[in-house]
Coordinates of all heavy atoms in Angstrom, one line a residue:
M194 N -48.4 3.8 -16.4 CA -49.6 4.2 -15.7 C -50.7 3.3 -15.9 O -51.5 3.0 -15.0 CB -50.0 5.6 -16.2 CG -51.3 6.1 -15.5 SD -51.8 7.7 -16.1 CE -53.4 7.6 -15.7
A195 N -50.8 2.7 -17.1 CA -51.9 1.8 -17.4 C -51.9 0.5 -16.6 O -52.9 -0.1 -16.5 CB -51.9 1.5 -18.9
G196 N -50.8 0.2 -16.0 CA -50.7 -1.0 -15.2 C -50.8 -0.8 -13.7 O -50.8 -1.8 -12.9
S197 N -51.0 0.4 -13.3 CA -51.0 0.7 -11.8 C -52.3 0.3 -11.3 O -53.4 0.2 -11.9 CB -50.8 2.2 -11.6 OG -51.9 2.9 -11.9
R198 N -52.3 -0.1 -10.0 CA -53.5 -0.6 -9.3 C -54.6 0.5 -9.2 O -55.8 0.2 -9.3 CB -53.2 -1.1 -8.0 CG -52.4 -2.4 -8.1 CD -52.0 -2.9 -6.7 NE -51.0 -4.0 -6.8 CZ -51.2 -5.1 -6.2 NH1 -52.1 -5.3 -5.3 NH2 -50.3 -6.0 -6.3
A199 N -54.1 1.8 -9.1 CA -55.1 2.9 -9.0 C -55.8 3.0 -10.3 O -57.1 3.2 -10.3 CB -54.3 4.2 -8.7
F200 N -55.2 2.9 -11.4 CA -55.8 3.0 -12.7 C -56.8 1.8 -13.0 O -57.9 2.0 -13.4 CB -54.8 3.0 -13.8 CG -55.3 3.2 -15.2 CD1 -55.7 4.5 -15.6 CD2 -55.6 2.1 -16.0 CE1 -56.3 4.6 -16.9 CE2 -56.1 2.3 -17.3 CZ -56.5 3.5 -17.7
V201 N -56.4 0.6 -12.6 CA -57.2 -0.5 -12.8 C -58.5 -0.4 -11.9 O -59.6 -0.7 -12.3 CB -56.5 -1.8 -12.5 CG1 -57.4 -3.0 -12.4 CG2 -55.4 -2.0 -13.5
G202 N -58.3 0.1 -10.7 CA -59.4 0.3 -9.8 C -60.4 1.4 -10.3 O -61.6 1.2 -10.2
M203 N -59.8 2.4 -10.8 CA -60.6 3.5 -11.4 C -61.4 2.9 -12.6 O -62.6 3.2 -12.7 CB -59.8 4.7 -11.9 CG -60.6 5.8 -12.5 SD -59.6 7.0 -13.3 CE -59.0 6.1 -14.7
A204 N -60.8 2.2 -13.5 CA -61.5 1.6 -14.6 C -62.6 0.7 -14.2 O -63.7 0.7 -14.8 CB -60.5 0.9 -15.5
A205 N -62.3 -0.2 -13.2 CA -63.4 -1.1 -12.7 C -64.5 -0.3 -12.1 O -65.7 -0.6 -12.3 CB -62.8 -2.0 -11.6
G206 N -64.2 0.8 -11.3 CA -65.3 1.6 -10.8 C -66.1 2.2 -11.8 O -67.4 2.3 -11.7
M207 N -65.5 2.7 -12.9 CA -66.2 3.3 -14.0 C -67.1 2.3 -14.7 O -68.3 2.6 -15.1 CB -65.3 4.0 -15.0 CG -64.6 5.3 -14.4 SD -63.4 6.0 -15.5 CE -64.4 6.5 -16.8
A208 N -66.6 1.1 -14.9 CA -67.4 0.1 -15.5 C -68.6 -0.3 -14.7 O -69.7 -0.4 -15.2 CB -66.5 -1.2 -15.8
L209 N -68.4 -0.4 -13.4 CA -69.6 -0.7 -12.5 C -70.6 0.5 -12.5 O -71.8 0.3 -12.5 CB -69.1 -0.9 -11.1 CG -68.3 -2.3 -10.9 CD1 -67.7 -2.3 -9.5 CD2 -69.3 -3.4 -11.1
A210 N -70.1 1.7 -12.5 CA -71.0 2.9 -12.5 C -71.8 2.9 -13.8 O -73.0 3.1 -13.8 CB -70.1 4.2 -12.4
F211 N -71.2 2.7 -15.0 CA -71.9 2.6 -16.2 C -72.9 1.5 -16.2 O -74.1 1.7 -16.7 CB -71.0 2.5 -17.4 CG -70.4 3.8 -17.9 CD1 -69.0 4.0 -17.7 CD2 -71.2 4.8 -18.4 CE1 -68.5 5.2 -18.1 CE2 -70.6 6.0 -18.8 CZ -69.3 6.2 -18.7
A212 N -72.5 0.3 -15.7 CA -73.5 -0.8 -15.7 C -74.7 -0.5 -14.8 O -75.8 -0.8 -15.1 CB -72.8 -2.0 -15.2
G213 N -74.4 0.1 -13.7 CA -75.5 0.4 -12.7 C -76.4 1.5 -13.3 O -77.6 1.5 -13.1
Y214 N -75.8 2.5 -14.0 CA -76.6 3.6 -14.5 C -77.5 3.2 -15.7 O -78.7 3.5 -15.8 CB -75.7 4.8 -14.9 CG -76.5 6.0 -15.4 CD1 -77.1 6.8 -14.5 CD2 -76.6 6.3 -16.7 CE1 -77.8 7.9 -14.9 CE2 -77.3 7.4 -17.2 CZ -77.9 8.2 -16.2 OH -78.6 9.3 -16.7
F215 N -76.9 2.5 -16.6 CA -77.6 2.1 -17.9 C -78.3 0.8 -17.8 O -79.3 0.6 -18.5 CB -76.6 2.1 -19.0 CG -76.1 3.4 -19.4 CD1 -74.8 3.8 -19.2 CD2 -76.9 4.4 -20.0 CE1 -74.3 5.0 -19.5 CE2 -76.4 5.7 -20.3 CZ -75.1 6.0 -20.1
G216 N -77.8 -0.1 -17.0 CA -78.4 -1.5 -17.0 C -79.2 -1.8 -15.7 O -79.8 -2.9 -15.6
G217 N -79.1 -1.0 -14.7 CA -79.8 -1.3 -13.5 C -79.0 -2.1 -12.5 O -77.8 -2.4 -12.8
F218 N -79.6 -2.5 -11.4 CA -78.9 -3.2 -10.4 C -78.4 -4.6 -10.8 O -77.3 -5.0 -10.4 CB -79.7 -3.3 -9.1 CG -79.0 -3.8 -7.9 CD1 -78.0 -3.0 -7.3 CD2 -79.3 -5.0 -7.4 CE1 -77.3 -3.5 -6.2 CE2 -78.7 -5.5 -6.2 CZ -77.7 -4.7 -5.7
G219 N -79.2 -5.3 -11.6 CA -78.8 -6.6 -12.1 C -77.6 -6.5 -12.9 O -76.7 -7.4 -12.7
A220 N -77.4 -5.6 -13.8 CA -76.2 -5.4 -14.6 C -75.0 -5.1 -13.7 O -73.9 -5.5 -13.9 CB -76.4 -4.4 -15.7
F221 N -75.3 -4.2 -12.7 CA -74.2 -3.9 -11.8 C -73.7 -5.1 -11.1 O -72.5 -5.3 -11.0 CB -74.8 -2.9 -10.7 CG -73.8 -2.6 -9.6 CD1 -72.8 -1.7 -9.8 CD2 -73.9 -3.3 -8.4 CE1 -71.9 -1.4 -8.7 CE2 -73.0 -3.0 -7.4 CZ -72.1 -2.0 -7.5
L222 N -74.6 -6.0 -10.6 CA -74.1 -7.2 -9.9 C -73.4 -8.2 -10.9 O -72.4 -8.8 -10.5 CB -75.3 -8.0 -9.3 CG -75.9 -7.3 -8.1 CD1 -77.1 -8.1 -7.6 CD2 -74.9 -7.1 -7.0
L223 N -73.9 -8.3 -12.1 CA -73.2 -9.1 -13.1 C -71.8 -8.6 -13.4 O -70.9 -9.4 -13.5 CB -74.0 -9.2 -14.4 CG -73.5 -10.0 -15.6 CD1 -73.4 -11.5 -15.1 CD2 -74.3 -9.8 -16.8
V224 N -71.6 -7.3 -13.6 CA -70.3 -6.8 -13.9 C -69.4 -7.0 -12.7 O -68.2 -7.3 -12.9 CB -70.4 -5.3 -14.3 CG1 -69.1 -4.6 -14.4 CG2 -71.1 -5.1 -15.7
A225 N -69.9 -6.8 -11.5 CA -69.1 -7.0 -10.3 C -68.7 -8.4 -10.2 O -67.5 -8.7 -9.9 CB -69.9 -6.5 -9.1
A226 N -69.6 -9.3 -10.4 CA -69.2 -10.8 -10.3 C -68.2 -11.2 -11.3 O -67.2 -11.9 -11.0 CB -70.5 -11.6 -10.4
L227 N -68.4 -10.8 -12.6 CA -67.5 -11.1 -13.6 C -66.1 -10.4 -13.4 O -65.1 -11.0 -13.7 CB -68.0 -10.8 -15.0 CG -69.2 -11.7 -15.4 CD1 -69.8 -11.2 -16.8 CD2 -68.9 -13.1 -15.5
G228 N -66.1 -9.2 -12.9 CA -64.9 -8.5 -12.6 C -64.1 -9.3 -11.5 O -62.9 -9.4 -11.6
G229 N -64.8 -9.7 -10.5 CA -64.2 -10.5 -9.4 C -63.6 -11.8 -9.9 O -62.5 -12.2 -9.5
L230 N -64.3 -12.5 -10.8 CA -63.8 -13.7 -11.4 C -62.5 -13.4 -12.2 O -61.6 -14.2 -12.2 CB -64.8 -14.4 -12.2 CG -65.9 -15.1 -11.4 CD1 -67.0 -15.6 -12.4 CD2 -65.4 -16.3 -10.6
G231 N -62.6 -12.4 -13.0 CA -61.4 -12.0 -13.8 C -60.2 -11.6 -13.0 O -59.1 -12.0 -13.3
A232 N -60.5 -10.9 -11.9 CA -59.4 -10.5 -11.0 C -58.8 -11.8 -10.3 O -57.5 -11.9 -10.2 CB -59.9 -9.5 -9.9
A233 N -59.6 -12.7 -9.9 CA -59.1 -13.9 -9.3 C -58.3 -14.7 -10.3 O -57.2 -15.3 -10.0 CB -60.3 -14.8 -8.7
A234 N -58.8 -14.8 -11.5 CA -58.0 -15.6 -12.6 C -56.7 -14.9 -12.9 O -55.7 -15.6 -13.1 CB -58.9 -15.7 -13.8
G235 N -56.7 -13.6 -12.9 CA -55.4 -12.9 -13.2 C -54.5 -13.1 -12.1 O -53.3 -13.2 -12.3
H236 N -54.9 -13.0 -10.8 CA -54.1 -13.2 -9.7 C -53.5 -14.7 -9.7 O -52.3 -14.9 -9.4 CB -54.9 -13.0 -8.4 CG -54.1 -13.2 -7.1 ND1 -53.1 -12.3 -6.8 CD2 -54.1 -14.1 -6.2 CE1 -52.5 -12.7 -5.7 NE2 -53.1 -13.8 -5.3
W237 N -54.3 -15.6 -10.0 CA -53.9 -17.0 -10.1 C -52.8 -17.2 -11.2 O -51.8 -17.8 -11.0 CB -55.1 -17.9 -10.4 CG -54.7 -19.3 -10.7 CD1 -54.3 -20.3 -9.8 CD2 -54.7 -19.9 -12.0 NE1 -54.1 -21.5 -10.5 CE2 -54.3 -21.3 -11.9 CE3 -55.0 -19.4 -13.3 CZ2 -54.2 -22.1 -12.9 CZ3 -54.9 -20.3 -14.3 CH2 -54.5 -21.6 -14.2
Y238 N -53.1 -16.6 -12.3 CA -52.2 -16.7 -13.5 C -50.8 -16.0 -13.2 O -49.8 -16.5 -13.5 CB -52.8 -16.1 -14.7 CG -51.9 -16.3 -16.0 CD1 -51.8 -17.5 -16.5 CD2 -51.3 -15.2 -16.5 CE1 -51.0 -17.7 -17.7 CE2 -50.5 -15.4 -17.6 CZ -50.3 -16.6 -18.2 OH -49.6 -16.8 -19.3
D239 N -50.9 -14.8 -12.5 CA -49.7 -14.1 -12.2 C -48.8 -14.9 -11.2 O -47.6 -14.8 -11.1 CB -50.0 -12.7 -11.6 CG -50.3 -11.7 -12.6 OD1 -50.1 -12.0 -13.8 OD2 -50.9 -10.7 -12.2
G240 N -49.5 -15.7 -10.4 CA -48.8 -16.5 -9.4 C -48.2 -17.8 -10.0 O -47.7 -18.7 -9.3
G241 N -48.2 -18.0 -11.3 CA -47.6 -19.1 -11.9 C -48.6 -20.3 -12.0 O -48.2 -21.4 -12.1
G242 N -49.9 -20.0 -12.0 CA -50.9 -21.0 -12.1 C -50.8 -21.8 -13.4 O -50.5 -21.3 -14.4
R243 N -51.1 -23.1 -13.3 CA -51.2 -24.0 -14.4 C -52.6 -24.6 -14.5 O -53.3 -24.8 -13.6 CB -50.1 -25.1 -14.3 CG -48.7 -24.6 -14.2 CD -47.7 -25.7 -14.2 NE -48.3 -27.0 -13.9 CZ -47.9 -27.8 -12.9 NH1 -46.9 -27.5 -12.1 NH2 -48.5 -29.0 -12.7
L244 N -52.9 -25.0 -15.7 CA -54.2 -25.6 -16.0 C -54.3 -26.9 -15.3 O -55.4 -27.3 -14.9 CB -54.4 -25.7 -17.5 CG -55.8 -25.9 -18.0 CD1 -56.7 -24.8 -17.5 CD2 -55.9 -25.9 -19.5
Q245 N -53.3 -27.6 -15.2 CA -53.3 -28.9 -14.5 C -53.7 -28.8 -13.0 O -54.4 -29.6 -12.5 CB -51.8 -29.5 -14.5 CG -51.7 -30.9 -13.9 CD -52.4 -32.0 -14.6 OE1 -52.6 -31.9 -15.8 NE2 -52.9 -33.0 -14.0
E246 N -53.3 -27.7 -12.4 CA -53.8 -27.4 -11.0 C -55.3 -27.3 -10.9 O -55.9 -27.8 -9.9 CB -53.1 -26.2 -10.4 CG -51.6 -26.3 -10.3 CD -51.0 -25.0 -9.9 OE1 -51.7 -24.0 -9.7 OE2 -49.7 -24.9 -9.9
L247 N -55.9 -26.6 -11.8 CA -57.3 -26.5 -11.8 C -58.0 -27.8 -12.0 O -59.0 -28.1 -11.4 CB -57.8 -25.5 -12.9 CG -57.5 -24.1 -12.7 CD1 -57.9 -23.3 -13.9 CD2 -58.1 -23.5 -11.5
R248 N -57.5 -28.6 -12.9 CA -58.1 -29.9 -13.2 C -58.0 -30.8 -11.9 O -58.9 -31.5 -11.5 CB -57.4 -30.6 -14.3 CG -58.2 -31.9 -14.8 CD -57.4 -32.6 -15.9 NE -56.2 -33.3 -15.4 CZ -56.2 -34.4 -14.7 NH1 -57.2 -35.0 -14.4 NH2 -55.0 -34.9 -14.3
D249 N -56.8 -30.8 -11.3 CA -56.6 -31.6 -10.1 C -57.6 -31.1 -8.9 O -58.2 -31.9 -8.2 CB -55.2 -31.5 -9.6 CG -54.2 -32.2 -10.5 OD1 -54.7 -33.0 -11.4 OD2 -53.0 -31.9 -10.4
A250 N -57.8 -29.8 -8.8 CA -58.7 -29.3 -7.8 C -60.1 -29.7 -8.1 O -60.9 -30.0 -7.1 CB -58.5 -27.8 -7.7
Y251 N -60.5 -29.7 -9.3 CA -61.8 -30.1 -9.7 C -62.1 -31.6 -9.4 O -63.1 -32.0 -8.9 CB -62.1 -29.8 -11.2 CG -63.4 -30.3 -11.7 CD1 -64.6 -29.6 -11.3 CD2 -63.5 -31.4 -12.5 CE1 -65.8 -30.1 -11.8 CE2 -64.7 -31.9 -13.0 CZ -65.9 -31.2 -12.6 OH -67.1 -31.6 -13.0
E252 N -61.1 -32.4 -9.7 CA -61.2 -33.8 -9.4 C -61.3 -34.1 -7.9 O -62.0 -35.0 -7.5 CB -60.0 -34.6 -10.1 CG -60.0 -34.7 -11.6 CD -61.2 -35.4 -12.1 OE1 -61.6 -36.5 -11.5 OE2 -61.8 -35.0 -13.1
R253 N -60.5 -33.4 -7.1 CA -60.6 -33.6 -5.7 C -61.9 -33.2 -5.1 O -62.5 -33.8 -4.2 CB -59.5 -32.8 -5.0 CG -58.1 -33.4 -5.0 CD -57.2 -32.7 -4.1 NE -57.1 -31.3 -4.3 CZ -56.1 -30.8 -5.1 NH1 -55.2 -31.5 -5.7 NH2 -56.1 -29.5 -5.3
S254 N -62.5 -32.1 -5.7 CA -63.8 -31.7 -5.2 C -65.0 -32.6 -5.6 O -66.0 -32.6 -4.9 CB -64.1 -30.3 -5.7 OG -64.4 -30.3 -7.1
R255 N -64.8 -33.4 -6.6 CA -65.9 -34.3 -7.0 C -65.9 -35.6 -6.1 O -66.9 -36.3 -6.1 CB -65.6 -34.7 -8.4 CG -65.9 -33.6 -9.4 CD -65.8 -34.0 -10.8 NE -66.7 -35.1 -11.0 CZ -66.8 -35.8 -12.2 NH1 -66.0 -35.5 -13.2 NH2 -67.7 -36.8 -12.3
R256 N -64.9 -35.8 -5.4 CA -64.8 -37.1 -4.5 C -65.6 -36.9 -3.3 O -65.9 -36.1 -2.7 CB -63.4 -37.4 -4.2 CG -62.6 -37.8 -5.5 CD -61.2 -38.2 -5.1 NE -60.5 -38.3 -6.4 CZ -59.2 -38.3 -6.4 NH1 -58.5 -38.2 -5.3 NH2 -58.6 -38.4 -7.6

C-alpha cells in the first residue's frame, strides 16, 4: 500500500495542506516546487537515468 500512487498523492496533498496552513502561501509554493522536483528526479531515476546524462545535458545547454 505504501508504494501506491494513491497513497503517494494523499501524502503529497497532506504535506501541501500543512505547509499552506502553518507556513502560508509562500511555504505552500516552496513545498509544491520541491515536491515537483523530487517527483521528476524519481521518474528520471526509475527510467534508468545516469549521472553522466545530466552532465552531458548541462554541457549542451551551456553552448
Side-chain angles (χ1 to χ4, degrees):
M194 177 182 159
S197 73
R198 292 179 190 227
F200 183 80
V201 172
M203 180 191 67
M207 290 176 65
L209 288 171
F211 278 112
Y214 184 76
F215 291 110
F218 189 67
F221 173 83
L222 290 178
L223 179 64
V224 169
L227 292 177
L230 286 173
H236 181 70
W237 170 78
Y238 184 73
D239 283 344
R243 296 184 347 233
L244 200 54
Q245 181 69 26
E246 294 172 3
L247 289 178
R248 190 185 70 78
D249 292 343
Y251 177 72
E252 289 296 321
R253 279 193 304 266
S254 70
R255 290 185 57 186
R256 293 181 192 164

